[in-house]
Amino acid sequence: MKEYIRKLISPSLRFELRKAVSWARDILSRACFWRWEIARFKLREDSSFNVLYVGRKAQRAFVKVLMGGSSTGDDKGWPAGESNRTVFISEMPTPGALCVPQYLSAVVPLSRSIDEITAKYNTELRRNLRKNRLRYRMKQALNDDEIENADLQMLQPYAQARHGSAASQIETHEVRRVAKNAGRLDLVLLEDEVVACHLGCVITRGGKRYWSTIRFGYPETVYSDARKLREVNSITTFMALEWALENGFDYYDIGTCLARPDDGLLEWKRRRGGDVDTLGNYGYMFVRLPKSGAAQFLWETPLFAVEGKGLTLHLGLPDGPDEEQIASRYREMGFGGLSRIYLHCTRQPQEQVIDTLRSRYSHLKFPPVLECVIST
């Protein structure tokens, strides 16, 4: 009976239902107000802004990381500072606040050939792929021993190495379920040595099929060697892209990462053709900018925000930085998938600066609208 009902519901509708259930669970977990706190802290020691945080105490460290600060520290005391230079962050909507996503996906459209996609890669990455791709092959893990070994020797250790005790591990039985039913687990071999694994699943949204990376895994011999990890990581991502293209998917989702415009992982995925997308991500924080100094704050802490169904980017152009510094600061933020970019300025910027920023998006078929917001 359960399988019969499942067949009656389209994959796209199942995706929307799962997302709605996840959203409801998130809201219910936030509604435990007895776990909330009011805390004030600085994101960085040299910042002139205070953050007033209202939300679950357990989420405070994450908020700091999301906003580009350090997750360490006891936040004892209330730092001195002007009240009009206070940033208000809450787990519930507040008037005038930006709806800031916690995580984003990087999604590659597959309406082009593999050569057209890789033509946008930088020279070093293309050279690496040409030189090393043929040395690697991919093999699906089908039996329980292969799946368990990949989990215990690659997925879990690599997550632990990257994120420490805060790593979010996937239960072995869930890895097994995805590998056998909801998706697949592939082993990546260099000659005859297993050097990586890729756990992925199929997502259908709006009638479009996505091959979505859930997790990459690497053995210690790979992730402990930075140079080797760079090569294997690039090849593994490329092979997952190839597989998605060969199997008729509309998009390849490289996976989720922290929704910070200056996050290194997100920039790494952008360089591989990934457009930012809220695919499957339902968690948000609500950030109200300071009454004074919004341009300086967003220069230090650029933010993504959701408006309706669109994703926007808020950048700061304060007094002080010259055109070269501005170009350097925002060089890696030419994200596809944005509907609008807000430039928060103390005064109308020079046309050369606007042209430099627009050039970051000139390669896109549908570049975002760029809008200046004058603030004190």
Side-chain angles (χ1 to χ4, degrees):
M1 184 65 178
K2 181 179 178 182
E3 189 61 31
Y4 175 74
I5 294 174
R6 179 181 174 85
K7 289 180 179 179
L8 293 177
I9 303 174
S10 70
S12 294
L13 182 54
R14 287 202 297 270
F15 170 79
E16 295 299 336
L17 289 173
R18 286 195 301 270
K19 189 171 181 179
V21 169
S22 297
W23 176 84
R25 287 174 176 167
D26 181 61
I27 291 297
L28 288 174
S29 67
R30 293 169 186 245
C32 302
F33 297 113
W34 57 91
R35 296 176 182 166
W36 281 37
E37 66 170 3
I38 299 176
R40 188 183 292 261
F41 52 84
K42 284 182 179 289
L43 293 173
R44 291 167 292 274
E45 286 296 324
D46 59 348
S47 176
S48 61
F49 299 95
N50 290 330
V51 172
L52 178 62
Y53 169 67
V54 179
R56 289 169 291 176
K57 184 175 182 179
Q59 284 291 97
R60 191 202 316 165
F62 173 79
V63 168
K64 289 183 178 182
V65 174
L66 179 64
M67 302 296 287
S70 170
S71 62
T72 58
D74 296 331
D75 301 329
K76 293 180 179 178
W78 289 59
E82 301 176 38
S83 61
N84 62 355
R85 294 181 73 83
T86 294
V87 181
F88 182 65
I89 303 177
S90 173
E91 287 208 84
M92 289 295 181
T94 56
L98 303 178
C99 180
V100 176
Q102 296 180 7
Y103 295 95
L104 289 175
S105 292
V107 174
V108 183
L110 300 180
S111 54
R112 304 158 290 166
S113 69
I114 194 72
D115 289 336
E116 290 175 302
I117 294 172
T118 56
K120 300 293 179 67
Y121 290 6
N122 64 42
T123 304
E124 182 183 352
L125 179 55
R126 291 200 305 272
R127 188 187 303 118
N128 177 41
L129 292 174
R130 284 196 304 268
K131 179 181 176 183
N132 298 303
R133 170 63 184 89
L134 293 178
R135 302 167 60 216
Y136 290 81
R137 60 189 174 91
M138 197 162 64
K139 183 185 79 168
Q140 184 177 4
L142 295 171
N143 64 59
D144 288 346
D145 287 343
E146 286 181 323
I147 295 168
E148 185 174 347
N149 286 339
D151 181 38
L152 296 179
Q153 297 176 18
M154 290 186 282
L155 292 173
Q156 291 191 31
Y158 180 58
Q160 177 78 20
R162 284 184 61 204
H163 303 291
S165 58
S168 176
Q169 299 285 7
I170 304 174
E171 297 290 340
T172 299
H173 67 83
E174 182 65 13
V175 173
R176 189 180 300 114
R177 184 190 71 82
V178 172
K180 289 191 168 185
N181 300 304
R184 56 187 281 153
L185 175 65
D186 288 298
L187 305 178
V188 176
L189 290 84
L190 172 59
E191 311 302 347
D192 294 318
E193 178 190 2
V194 176
V195 293
C197 67
H198 173 269
L199 181 67
C201 68
V202 180
I203 292 176
T204 305
R205 179 179 68 168
K208 302 295 184 180
R209 295 172 68 241
Y210 296 71
W211 177 238
S212 181
T213 291
I214 298 174
R215 194 68 61 90
F216 291 109
Y218 304 94
E220 186 176 2
T221 54
V222 172
Y223 68 71
S224 61
D225 183 332
R227 183 176 178 180
K228 191 170 185 179
L229 177 61
R230 280 196 300 272
E231 177 187 311
V232 177
N233 200 9
S234 292
I235 296 291
T236 302
T237 305
F238 181 72
M239 292 176 74
L241 170 67
E242 279 184 319
W243 189 89
L245 197 58
E246 290 166 1
N247 286 272
F249 285 87
D250 299 290
Y251 297 93
Y252 169 48
D253 168 23
I254 308 178
T256 60
C257 48
L258 201 64
R260 260 179 53 192
D262 55 358
D263 178 67
L265 179 58
L266 187 58
E267 292 170 355
W268 186 90
K269 293 179 178 181
R270 178 194 61 77
R271 291 193 290 271
R272 283 150 181 78
D275 295 342
V276 287
D277 195 313
T278 56
L279 175 71
N281 301 294
Y282 50 83
Y284 301 92
M285 302 302 299
F286 299 90
V287 180
R288 197 164 65 204
L289 299 175
K291 294 178 181 178
S292 176
Q296 180 63 44
F297 175 74
L298 290 167
W299 170 262
E300 299 173 6
T301 312
L303 295 173
F304 289 113
V306 172
E307 288 185 7
K309 293 185 178 181
L311 188 62
T312 65
L313 177 61
H314 291 254
L315 305 176
L317 294 179
D319 293 331
D322 58 26
E323 184 179 350
E324 185 177 343
Q325 290 172 311
I326 293 169
S328 176
R329 173 63 172 143
Y330 297 134
R331 178 169 289 116
E332 296 287 349
M333 297 189 194
F335 300 104
L338 298 172
S339 62
R340 189 175 295 268
I341 297 172
Y342 294 98
L343 299 176
H344 295 254
C345 326
T346 53
R347 61 175 179 269
Q348 188 66 29
Q350 295 179 351
E351 196 61 35
Q352 306 95 286
V353 173
I354 298 295
D355 289 342
T356 297
L357 290 172
R358 280 205 179 101
S359 71
R360 296 285 179 264
Y361 306 89
S362 59
H363 64 288
L364 300 173
K365 186 176 181 180
F366 300 105
V369 175
L370 197 149
E371 181 178 327
C372 291
V373 179
I374 308 300
S375 58
T376 56

